[in-house]
mmCIF file of all heavy atoms in Angstrom:
data_model
loop_
_atom_site.group_PDB
_atom_site.id
_atom_site.type_symbol
_atom_site.label_atom_id
_atom_site.label_comp_id
_atom_site.label_asym_id
_atom_site.label_seq_id
_atom_site.Cartn_x
_atom_site.Cartn_y
_atom_site.Cartn_z
ATOM 1 N N VAL S 1147 -7.066 8.701 -8.800
ATOM 2 C CA VAL S 1147 -8.432 8.887 -8.316
ATOM 3 C C VAL S 1147 -8.773 7.852 -7.262
ATOM 4 O O VAL S 1147 -8.235 6.761 -7.256
ATOM 5 C CB VAL S 1147 -9.448 8.757 -9.469
ATOM 6 C CG1 VAL S 1147 -9.462 9.985 -10.306
ATOM 7 C CG2 VAL S 1147 -9.169 7.539 -10.304
ATOM 8 N N SER S 1148 -9.657 8.229 -6.368
ATOM 9 C CA SER S 1148 -10.240 7.208 -5.510
ATOM 10 C C SER S 1148 -11.743 7.430 -5.482
ATOM 11 O O SER S 1148 -12.212 8.565 -5.509
ATOM 12 C CB SER S 1148 -9.637 7.249 -4.112
ATOM 13 O OG SER S 1148 -10.125 8.341 -3.397
ATOM 14 N N PHE S 1149 -12.457 6.328 -5.453
ATOM 15 C CA PHE S 1149 -13.891 6.407 -5.685
ATOM 16 C C PHE S 1149 -14.699 6.040 -4.467
ATOM 17 O O PHE S 1149 -14.263 5.280 -3.615
ATOM 18 C CB PHE S 1149 -14.291 5.415 -6.780
ATOM 19 C CG PHE S 1149 -13.620 5.626 -8.086
ATOM 20 C CD1 PHE S 1149 -12.786 4.672 -8.618
ATOM 21 C CD2 PHE S 1149 -13.839 6.790 -8.789
ATOM 22 C CE1 PHE S 1149 -12.168 4.860 -9.828
ATOM 23 C CE2 PHE S 1149 -13.220 6.988 -10.001
ATOM 24 C CZ PHE S 1149 -12.384 6.021 -10.524
ATOM 25 N N HIS S 1150 -15.895 6.527 -4.454
ATOM 26 C CA HIS S 1150 -16.908 5.965 -3.571
ATOM 27 C C HIS S 1150 -17.159 4.541 -4.080
ATOM 28 O O HIS S 1150 -17.098 4.291 -5.280
ATOM 29 C CB HIS S 1150 -18.185 6.804 -3.664
ATOM 30 C CG HIS S 1150 -19.213 6.434 -2.638
ATOM 31 N ND1 HIS S 1150 -20.094 5.405 -2.821
ATOM 32 C CD2 HIS S 1150 -19.466 6.950 -1.408
ATOM 33 C CE1 HIS S 1150 -20.853 5.300 -1.742
ATOM 34 N NE2 HIS S 1150 -20.499 6.230 -0.879
ATOM 35 N N PRO S 1151 -17.440 3.625 -3.176
ATOM 36 C CA PRO S 1151 -17.610 2.235 -3.632
ATOM 37 C C PRO S 1151 -18.690 2.065 -4.702
ATOM 38 O O PRO S 1151 -18.702 1.053 -5.397
ATOM 39 C CB PRO S 1151 -18.021 1.493 -2.356
ATOM 40 C CG PRO S 1151 -17.608 2.349 -1.236
ATOM 41 C CD PRO S 1151 -17.531 3.749 -1.725
ATOM 42 N N CYS S 1152 -19.568 3.040 -4.863
ATOM 43 C CA CYS S 1152 -20.638 2.871 -5.833
ATOM 44 C C CYS S 1152 -20.140 2.986 -7.273
ATOM 45 O O CYS S 1152 -20.821 2.550 -8.201
ATOM 46 C CB CYS S 1152 -21.746 3.894 -5.583
ATOM 47 S SG CYS S 1152 -21.267 5.594 -5.911
ATOM 48 N N VAL S 1153 -18.976 3.569 -7.493
ATOM 49 C CA VAL S 1153 -18.522 3.798 -8.861
ATOM 50 C C VAL S 1153 -18.010 2.498 -9.472
ATOM 51 O O VAL S 1153 -17.282 1.750 -8.844
ATOM 52 C CB VAL S 1153 -17.400 4.866 -8.885
ATOM 53 C CG1 VAL S 1153 -16.874 5.057 -10.297
ATOM 54 C CG2 VAL S 1153 -17.902 6.169 -8.327
ATOM 55 N N ARG S 1154 -18.446 2.264 -10.704
ATOM 56 C CA ARG S 1154 -18.020 1.034 -11.387
ATOM 57 C C ARG S 1154 -16.622 1.236 -11.947
ATOM 58 O O ARG S 1154 -16.396 2.008 -12.877
ATOM 59 C CB ARG S 1154 -18.993 0.705 -12.520
ATOM 60 C CG ARG S 1154 -20.375 0.406 -12.001
ATOM 61 C CD ARG S 1154 -21.320 0.050 -13.136
ATOM 62 N NE ARG S 1154 -22.637 -0.229 -12.590
ATOM 63 C CZ ARG S 1154 -23.661 0.625 -12.677
ATOM 64 N NH1 ARG S 1154 -23.522 1.771 -13.303
ATOM 65 N NH2 ARG S 1154 -24.819 0.311 -12.141
ATOM 66 N N PHE S 1155 -15.723 0.505 -11.381
ATOM 67 C CA PHE S 1155 -14.320 0.713 -11.701
ATOM 68 C C PHE S 1155 -13.984 0.358 -13.139
ATOM 69 O O PHE S 1155 -13.246 1.053 -13.822
ATOM 70 C CB PHE S 1155 -13.464 -0.108 -10.741
ATOM 71 C CG PHE S 1155 -12.008 0.142 -10.908
ATOM 72 C CD1 PHE S 1155 -11.457 1.316 -10.456
ATOM 73 C CD2 PHE S 1155 -11.208 -0.775 -11.537
ATOM 74 C CE1 PHE S 1155 -10.120 1.565 -10.630
ATOM 75 C CE2 PHE S 1155 -9.868 -0.534 -11.723
ATOM 76 C CZ PHE S 1155 -9.325 0.645 -11.261
ATOM 77 N N LYS S 1156 -14.582 -0.722 -13.614
ATOM 78 C CA LYS S 1156 -14.257 -1.194 -14.966
ATOM 79 C C LYS S 1156 -14.605 -0.154 -16.011
ATOM 80 O O LYS S 1156 -13.872 0.084 -16.960
ATOM 81 C CB LYS S 1156 -15.029 -2.481 -15.254
ATOM 82 C CG LYS S 1156 -14.459 -3.670 -14.523
ATOM 83 C CD LYS S 1156 -14.215 -4.832 -15.491
ATOM 84 C CE LYS S 1156 -13.385 -5.911 -14.840
ATOM 85 N NZ LYS S 1156 -14.195 -6.870 -14.086
ATOM 86 N N ARG S 1157 -15.755 0.464 -15.798
ATOM 87 C CA ARG S 1157 -16.217 1.480 -16.735
ATOM 88 C C ARG S 1157 -15.205 2.628 -16.794
ATOM 89 O O ARG S 1157 -14.896 3.159 -17.845
ATOM 90 C CB ARG S 1157 -17.523 1.964 -16.195
ATOM 91 C CG ARG S 1157 -18.722 2.293 -17.042
ATOM 92 C CD ARG S 1157 -19.076 1.533 -18.209
ATOM 93 N NE ARG S 1157 -19.575 2.403 -19.275
ATOM 94 C CZ ARG S 1157 -20.775 2.966 -19.270
ATOM 95 N NH1 ARG S 1157 -21.611 2.721 -18.307
ATOM 96 N NH2 ARG S 1157 -21.148 3.773 -20.251
ATOM 97 N N TRP S 1158 -14.733 3.000 -15.648
ATOM 98 C CA TRP S 1158 -13.755 4.084 -15.591
ATOM 99 C C TRP S 1158 -12.472 3.677 -16.306
ATOM 100 O O TRP S 1158 -11.917 4.427 -17.098
ATOM 101 C CB TRP S 1158 -13.479 4.445 -14.142
ATOM 102 C CG TRP S 1158 -12.333 5.402 -14.000
ATOM 103 C CD1 TRP S 1158 -11.071 5.107 -13.632
ATOM 104 C CD2 TRP S 1158 -12.354 6.807 -14.259
ATOM 105 N NE1 TRP S 1158 -10.289 6.240 -13.633
ATOM 106 C CE2 TRP S 1158 -11.051 7.294 -14.024
ATOM 107 C CE3 TRP S 1158 -13.338 7.701 -14.673
ATOM 108 C CZ2 TRP S 1158 -10.717 8.631 -14.184
ATOM 109 C CZ3 TRP S 1158 -12.997 9.031 -14.844
ATOM 110 C CH2 TRP S 1158 -11.711 9.495 -14.605
ATOM 111 N N GLU S 1159 -12.015 2.481 -16.060
ATOM 112 C CA GLU S 1159 -10.785 2.001 -16.674
ATOM 113 C C GLU S 1159 -10.888 2.030 -18.181
ATOM 114 O O GLU S 1159 -9.973 2.446 -18.875
ATOM 115 C CB GLU S 1159 -10.498 0.566 -16.225
ATOM 116 C CG GLU S 1159 -9.923 0.474 -14.845
ATOM 117 C CD GLU S 1159 -8.466 0.910 -14.784
ATOM 118 O OE1 GLU S 1159 -7.596 0.050 -14.982
ATOM 119 O OE2 GLU S 1159 -8.209 2.112 -14.544
ATOM 120 N N SER S 1160 -12.034 1.576 -18.697
ATOM 121 C CA SER S 1160 -12.111 1.438 -20.149
ATOM 122 C C SER S 1160 -12.546 2.728 -20.828
ATOM 123 O O SER S 1160 -12.065 3.057 -21.892
ATOM 124 C CB SER S 1160 -13.038 0.292 -20.518
ATOM 125 O OG SER S 1160 -14.305 0.508 -19.959
ATOM 126 N N GLU S 1161 -13.476 3.464 -20.198
ATOM 127 C CA GLU S 1161 -14.038 4.594 -20.934
ATOM 128 C C GLU S 1161 -13.831 5.941 -20.266
ATOM 129 O O GLU S 1161 -14.239 6.972 -20.793
ATOM 130 C CB GLU S 1161 -15.546 4.397 -21.115
ATOM 131 C CG GLU S 1161 -15.910 3.192 -21.940
ATOM 132 C CD GLU S 1161 -17.371 2.870 -21.763
ATOM 133 O OE1 GLU S 1161 -18.189 3.676 -22.234
ATOM 134 O OE2 GLU S 1161 -17.695 1.847 -21.142
ATOM 135 N N ARG S 1162 -13.270 5.923 -19.078
ATOM 136 C CA ARG S 1162 -13.108 7.169 -18.333
ATOM 137 C C ARG S 1162 -14.459 7.851 -18.101
ATOM 138 O O ARG S 1162 -14.612 9.057 -18.275
ATOM 139 C CB ARG S 1162 -12.152 8.124 -19.052
ATOM 140 C CG ARG S 1162 -10.777 7.546 -19.239
ATOM 141 C CD ARG S 1162 -9.921 7.778 -18.040
ATOM 142 N NE ARG S 1162 -9.056 6.626 -17.806
ATOM 143 C CZ ARG S 1162 -8.167 6.540 -16.826
ATOM 144 N NH1 ARG S 1162 -8.031 7.529 -15.992
ATOM 145 N NH2 ARG S 1162 -7.456 5.471 -16.653
ATOM 146 N N ILE S 1163 -15.419 7.028 -17.752
ATOM 147 C CA ILE S 1163 -16.738 7.562 -17.432
ATOM 148 C C ILE S 1163 -17.091 7.093 -16.037
ATOM 149 O O ILE S 1163 -16.823 5.944 -15.671
ATOM 150 C CB ILE S 1163 -17.784 7.046 -18.452
ATOM 151 C CG1 ILE S 1163 -17.639 7.806 -19.762
ATOM 152 C CG2 ILE S 1163 -19.196 7.192 -17.914
ATOM 153 C CD1 ILE S 1163 -18.543 7.298 -20.843
ATOM 154 N N LEU S 1164 -17.680 7.981 -15.257
ATOM 155 C CA LEU S 1164 -18.124 7.578 -13.928
ATOM 156 C C LEU S 1164 -19.544 7.045 -14.046
ATOM 157 O O LEU S 1164 -20.453 7.776 -14.431
ATOM 158 C CB LEU S 1164 -18.107 8.759 -12.971
ATOM 159 C CG LEU S 1164 -16.746 9.348 -12.632
ATOM 160 C CD1 LEU S 1164 -16.914 10.582 -11.766
ATOM 161 C CD2 LEU S 1164 -15.891 8.322 -11.916
ATOM 162 N N SER S 1165 -19.702 5.791 -13.740
ATOM 163 C CA SER S 1165 -21.020 5.188 -13.826
ATOM 164 C C SER S 1165 -21.353 4.625 -12.456
ATOM 165 O O SER S 1165 -20.560 3.882 -11.878
ATOM 166 C CB SER S 1165 -20.967 4.100 -14.899
ATOM 167 O OG SER S 1165 -21.975 3.166 -14.684
ATOM 168 N N PHE S 1166 -22.501 4.982 -11.933
ATOM 169 C CA PHE S 1166 -22.790 4.586 -10.546
ATOM 170 C C PHE S 1166 -24.266 4.694 -10.208
ATOM 171 O O PHE S 1166 -25.000 5.458 -10.827
ATOM 172 C CB PHE S 1166 -22.000 5.455 -9.570
ATOM 173 C CG PHE S 1166 -22.219 6.940 -9.743
ATOM 174 C CD1 PHE S 1166 -23.118 7.614 -8.940
ATOM 175 C CD2 PHE S 1166 -21.526 7.643 -10.724
ATOM 176 C CE1 PHE S 1166 -23.337 8.974 -9.115
ATOM 177 C CE2 PHE S 1166 -21.730 8.995 -10.900
ATOM 178 C CZ PHE S 1166 -22.640 9.661 -10.096
ATOM 179 N N ILE S 1167 -24.662 3.893 -9.244
ATOM 180 C CA ILE S 1167 -25.959 4.074 -8.601
ATOM 181 C C ILE S 1167 -25.677 4.838 -7.324
ATOM 182 O O ILE S 1167 -24.996 4.349 -6.431
ATOM 183 C CB ILE S 1167 -26.617 2.721 -8.291
ATOM 184 C CG1 ILE S 1167 -26.959 2.002 -9.593
ATOM 185 C CG2 ILE S 1167 -27.866 2.920 -7.434
ATOM 186 C CD1 ILE S 1167 -27.456 0.602 -9.400
ATOM 187 N N PRO S 1168 -26.136 6.076 -7.249
ATOM 188 C CA PRO S 1168 -25.682 6.928 -6.148
ATOM 189 C C PRO S 1168 -26.315 6.540 -4.818
ATOM 190 O O PRO S 1168 -27.442 6.047 -4.782
ATOM 191 C CB PRO S 1168 -26.157 8.312 -6.575
ATOM 192 C CG PRO S 1168 -27.359 8.042 -7.406
ATOM 193 C CD PRO S 1168 -27.104 6.751 -8.111
ATOM 194 N N PRO S 1169 -25.601 6.768 -3.725
ATOM 195 C CA PRO S 1169 -26.243 6.707 -2.418
ATOM 196 C C PRO S 1169 -27.262 7.837 -2.332
ATOM 197 O O PRO S 1169 -27.233 8.768 -3.138
ATOM 198 C CB PRO S 1169 -25.099 6.954 -1.437
ATOM 199 C CG PRO S 1169 -23.857 6.849 -2.218
ATOM 200 C CD PRO S 1169 -24.197 7.144 -3.637
ATOM 201 N N ASP S 1170 -28.118 7.767 -1.374
ATOM 202 C CA ASP S 1170 -29.106 8.820 -1.218
ATOM 203 C C ASP S 1170 -28.520 9.918 -0.357
ATOM 204 O O ASP S 1170 -27.980 9.653 0.714
ATOM 205 C CB ASP S 1170 -30.360 8.220 -0.566
ATOM 206 C CG ASP S 1170 -31.465 9.241 -0.492
ATOM 207 O OD1 ASP S 1170 -31.609 10.019 -1.458
ATOM 208 O OD2 ASP S 1170 -32.170 9.279 0.529
ATOM 209 N N GLY S 1171 -28.599 11.141 -0.846
ATOM 210 C CA GLY S 1171 -28.132 12.260 -0.032
ATOM 211 C C GLY S 1171 -26.725 12.692 -0.376
ATOM 212 O O GLY S 1171 -26.300 12.606 -1.526
ATOM 213 N N ASN S 1172 -26.032 13.162 0.632
ATOM 214 C CA ASN S 1172 -24.689 13.704 0.410
ATOM 215 C C ASN S 1172 -23.641 12.607 0.458
ATOM 216 O O ASN S 1172 -23.682 11.756 1.327
ATOM 217 C CB ASN S 1172 -24.359 14.723 1.492
ATOM 218 C CG ASN S 1172 -25.260 15.927 1.408
ATOM 219 O OD1 ASN S 1172 -25.443 16.501 0.340
ATOM 220 N ND2 ASN S 1172 -25.867 16.285 2.528
ATOM 221 N N PHE S 1173 -22.738 12.685 -0.451
ATOM 222 C CA PHE S 1173 -21.627 11.738 -0.405
ATOM 223 C C PHE S 1173 -20.490 12.256 -1.270
ATOM 224 O O PHE S 1173 -20.682 13.146 -2.092
ATOM 225 C CB PHE S 1173 -22.058 10.349 -0.890
ATOM 226 C CG PHE S 1173 -22.441 10.297 -2.352
ATOM 227 C CD1 PHE S 1173 -21.549 9.789 -3.285
ATOM 228 C CD2 PHE S 1173 -23.670 10.760 -2.776
ATOM 229 C CE1 PHE S 1173 -21.892 9.751 -4.620
ATOM 230 C CE2 PHE S 1173 -24.010 10.717 -4.118
ATOM 231 C CZ PHE S 1173 -23.124 10.207 -5.039
#
Side-chain angles (χ1 to χ4, degrees):
Chain S
V1147 283
S1148 74
F1149 301 117
H1150 189 276
C1152 68
V1153 177
R1154 296 181 180 104
F1155 185 74
K1156 286 231 168 86
R1157 219 37 218 286
W1158 171 258
E1159 282 286 271
S1160 57
E1161 297 165 68
R1162 300 274 143 179
I1163 284 176
L1164 294 175
S1165 157
F1166 55 98
I1167 294 173
D1170 185 39
N1172 295 311
F1173 66 102

